[in-house]
Amino acid sequence: MSNGNLPEQIVFRIRRFAPGRDKEPVWKEYPIAYEVGMTVLDGLWKVKETIDPTLAWRASCRMGVCGSCGMLINGKAGLGCNTQIAELGTAVVTVAPLANFPIVRDLVPDLRPLFDAHTALSPYIIRADTAEQEEPTREYYQSAEQMEAYLQFSYCIKCACCMAACPTCATDPVYSGPVALAQAHRYNTDTRDDGFEVRKEVLADEVGPWRCHFAGECSRVCPKGVDPAKAIQLMKRQLVADALGLRKKPPLAQPVEKPEGIERRPGIPEAPPPTV
Amino acid sequence: MRDQKLWTWHLAAGAIILFLLGLHMAIMHLDALLGIFNPAGGHPIDWANVVARGQSMAFTMNYILLLGAALFHGLYGLRNILFELDPAPPLKKALSWVLILVGVGLFIFGTWAAWVGHQVASIT
Ligand code: HEM
Ligand code: SF4
Ligand code: SF4
Ligand code: FES
């Protein structure tokens, strides 16, 4: 089978580091046989299985869903599992851990700064009718347009690629970063949510969107098309309007009554019972 | 003050600069095209035109407002850049105070200069 422009043998150039054992990270090279359809993650497995079993990285779903395998591939942040080696087009593939995070080992970054910032911004629906939320009796109504306002931002898998690409995250540990900010905006624009004031308590300070200069690197590398840079600019607009007393609070989505007196069309199966 | 407020003012100051600096460019540098605010005719920097602008209260206020907006906008922007270099919290506090003092000092000095200019022009 043809390998496209790639030779039979390619080289994985990997940054290795074991804190406590190594003084500083070192680059090591591993030649492996290229196979058509090979992803960067497949290549790492090949290195681990055939050359060095001590190589460490984080991955789970191998299909761009779990957000575990973010890494710097040829210098650009991306998911190992959804990056084809053929797409890179280089016979030497360099792999390093995501920038702007401490390293646990080899290609495993410590993502705690991301999750701490994310948690601090209450990334969940906040509203007063907690009883209805805990034991829902009805559904909250939301129109298709209302859902579209946040849908794109809800595709985030917390892979941290954007944080590794963000020039502000590179120098400023106080800045919450694109993941947490985009998620805060995702909930702030959800018509079922009433938590704007709660999140504003955090966002109004230094950790908020104020140090984002719209370089857009986060959106360029995002493997899920989330466009966190857009979310952050929309968030700034909302917070500026709020500071000027011009923010219009959209009406909060209310639980809708089950329609009465309507015949169910024949042949439509019942929804399965709730499992949780 | 919290960054939400400060950044909103930063943006508002940018809009003020855009307008007032635009006006300044139109008067001083596009005069051949527009020919406005130069009552004595000729060149915008002719002495008679300089004095005429100096006598006008609107111009004096314009200069003071532009000075305030540019100082706040520029110094808050500089503070943002410096804070991104992650100085220790006490250094952040000290930096803020230095920038406030520099800003207020320059504003007082500039306002005094604009006001004296207005007085001198008025008796010319
Ligand atoms: C046409 C008038 C101006 C407008 C509309 C304007 C607008 C802006 C905006 C929106 C920002 C925020 C950018 C960001 O956060 O990424 C900014 C930043 C900044 N501006 Fe202006 N500005 C103007 C003139 C000026 C002038 C005359 C100065 C110098 C005194 C200045 C100095 C700065 C500095 C130092 C920053 C911080 C840089 C940064 O945060 O990236 N600006 N300006
Ligand atoms: S915004 Fe995109 S790059 Fe950032 S964590 Fe979410 S999915 Fe990953
Ligand atoms: S747009 Fe903002 S969050 Fe995204 S990379 Fe640039 S500074 Fe970072
Ligand atoms: S392994 Fe799950 S996103 Fe790559």
Side-chain angles (χ1 to χ4, degrees), chain A residues 171 201 204-206 210-211 213 239 242, chain B residues 2-4 7-8 80 83-84 86 92:
Chain A
T171 64
E201 273 307 300
D205 274 332
E206 263 195 280
W210 321 111
R211 305 271 164 78
H213 306 292
L239 288 166
D242 176 77
Chain B
R2 305 184 94 193
D3 286 78
Q4 185 191 11
W7 201 84
T8 303
N80 245 345
F83 274 28
E84 264 164 48
D86 190 31
K92 278 188 177 171

Side-chain angles (χ1 to χ4, degrees), chain B residues 47-123:
Chain B
W47 174 242
N49 284 326
V50 175
V51 171
R53 281 197 299 272
Q55 281 170 348
S56 148
M57 189 51 132
F59 266 102
T60 307
M61 288 301 145
N62 170 339
Y63 294 144
I64 294 172
L65 185 60
L66 178 58
L67 175 68
L71 277 173
F72 177 75
H73 184 92
L75 292 174
Y76 178 73
L78 181 64
R79 177 180 177 268
N80 245 345
I81 294 171
L82 294 173
F83 274 28
E84 264 164 48
L85 303 175
D86 190 31
L91 193 53
K92 278 188 177 171
K93 214 168 195 157
L95 269 172
S96 294
W97 276 110
V98 168
L99 292 173
I100 289 172
L101 291 176
V102 167
V104 171
L106 286 174
F107 183 71
I108 292 173
F109 179 64
T111 304
W112 172 77
W115 188 250
V116 170
H118 174 65
Q119 302 285 317
V120 172
S122 301
I123 54 166

